[in-house]
Amino acid sequence: MNRTRVALRRCTALALFATIAVPGSMAHAQPLAVDTMDRQAVIDFYMDVFLDSEGVEPGWTGSHQGCNAGTLSNAFLAATLQRINYYRAMAGLNGDVVLDDTFNAQCQAAALIYSVNDILTHNPSPGLICFSLDGLAAAQRSNITQNAIGPGAIDDFIEDPGFSNTAVGHRRHLLFPGQEVMGVGCVPERNANQPDATAIYVLGPRTDIEQAVMWPPEGFVPFQVTYLRWSYSYPGADFSEATVHVTLNGDRVQYTPLPLISGFGDNTIVWQPGTTFPPPLQETYTVEIDNFFIPGDANPQNITYDVTRINPFGDFGGEGEGEGEGEGEGEGEGEGEGEGEGEGEGEGEGEGEGEGEGEGEGEGEGEGEGEGVRAKVKVKAKVKAKAKAKVKARSRRKRPPRSWWNSLAPQMRTAPETFRSQSPAGCSRR
């Protein structure tokens, strides 16, 4: 049996984030791309694209009491779309998914139902408060979650934690190769009984593309987005007899294989190697997947690829040192020339304290030193220093994870041969 050394992407790195335009019916995004084999390009991409979408206010215009689904600010929609396309570009996919106004409005209606009623379902009943046909339409075609909105909800969908998300179905829909158009709907919490809610329309126009997708992807990956569950997808693949082996520096890594479940995007094998902690600077995992089959080939497939987990801030001392959250730049707090002390106090053109606090916004490149930093380093600062801790907390989970897959009502089940384009989306309650 021949072994294939996987090299799925060799895209041109984008040094700077190109503005994503939204919405406008079928508004077009400037494509995002990154060469994950280029360590510095991956670090820049994380700084300029991922961190740039943190801390944006939702600007919701609706009302729980009035059953008004409202709208989100263009900046918040752009930040959420930017996060989606960040993950897609990192996975070697088209980073130019766009938003559609109709899908956005339907997702807003669905998110309102979930927030007002404190419920998650792909089949909301007419008896629910604020029920609407628009909400029902989006509910049946969306990834849905509570206790997270915007970019933070996208992170949760890619991470897919929880005992009933072992199939990483949310991830599979967001990283479906032929994904072209999506919708975004978010309703911020009103109180503990009416929490944050998000619906991401994922069963819109798609094109079937024969492409393998893994997460984390081959190449360099910030450890912050590798997550606990690793996956490999291929359209129509049979993983029933497949085996996975993971090594770190030649030593076998223990992992937990997870059940094979079809019906969410492409067929996927999932395992948990248990690598959530920050690497010392970087560490390379070699993944081998043996004895699986793909359509049109009777021979078993065997592939090998490397995932190198890096700390984007590790070059200057790791977390707790430097500017912002102690990571030279932190999560977008602090900027320009200056020194960082302790855990996240940055001095210079803008100050950032703690985890996500700071006033003003700006950009800059400068040289910064921090107490405890091993060496003077050059810090590329793409700053969103206006982020408040409460904004960051709102965009991420605020209650302990309470996750499950959808109820898989009979009308939402599909024949295996049609699952790639018709499968139900997942729901994930935080």
Side-chain angles (χ1 to χ4, degrees), residues 49-87:
V49 178
F50 186 95
L51 293 184
D52 186 72
S53 56
E54 290 283 286
V56 180
E57 289 280 4
W60 184 50
T61 63
S63 167
H64 290 79
Q65 290 178 303
C67 283
N68 178 8
T71 60
L72 300 168
S73 71
N74 284 348
F76 192 75
L77 288 172
T80 306
L81 181 62
Q82 183 171 322
R83 187 62 57 87
I84 292 171
N85 282 322
Y86 167 83
Y87 283 110

Side-chain angles (χ1 to χ4, degrees), residues 39 278-282 311-323 326-328 340-342 368-379:
R39 187 179 190 274
L281 185 59
Q282 70 179 44
N311 185 343
F313 314 107
D315 287 342
F316 40 93
E319 294 198 27
E321 301 166 357
E323 298 176 30
E327 301 151 331
E341 300 180 1
E369 291 183 289
E371 293 183 5
V373 180
R374 297 189 182 96
K376 187 174 183 179
V377 297
K378 186 173 182 178
V379 181

Side-chain angles (χ1 to χ4, degrees), residues 325 331 333 343 353-357 387-389 392 396:
E325 194 183 350
E331 295 208 28
E333 302 91 5
E343 186 178 351
E353 296 182 357
E355 186 179 357
E357 298 184 6
K388 297 290 185 180
K392 183 177 178 182
R396 299 187 181 276

Side-chain angles (χ1 to χ4, degrees), residues 162-220:
F163 68 91
S164 48
N165 289 327
T166 56
V168 296
H170 304 97
R171 176 190 298 176
R172 288 155 68 173
H173 279 304
L174 288 176
L175 299 184
F176 185 80
Q179 198 73 261
E180 299 173 355
V181 182
M182 294 187 187
V184 171
C186 302
V187 170
E189 70 171 4
R190 182 186 179 204
N191 53 50
N193 296 319
Q194 294 182 322
D196 292 336
T198 293
I200 305 295
Y201 200 110
V202 293
L203 294 185
R206 290 175 160 189
T207 301
D208 282 347
I209 297 176
E210 188 173 342
Q211 180 175 348
V213 178
M214 67 272 286
W215 196 269
E218 180 193 21
F220 296 98

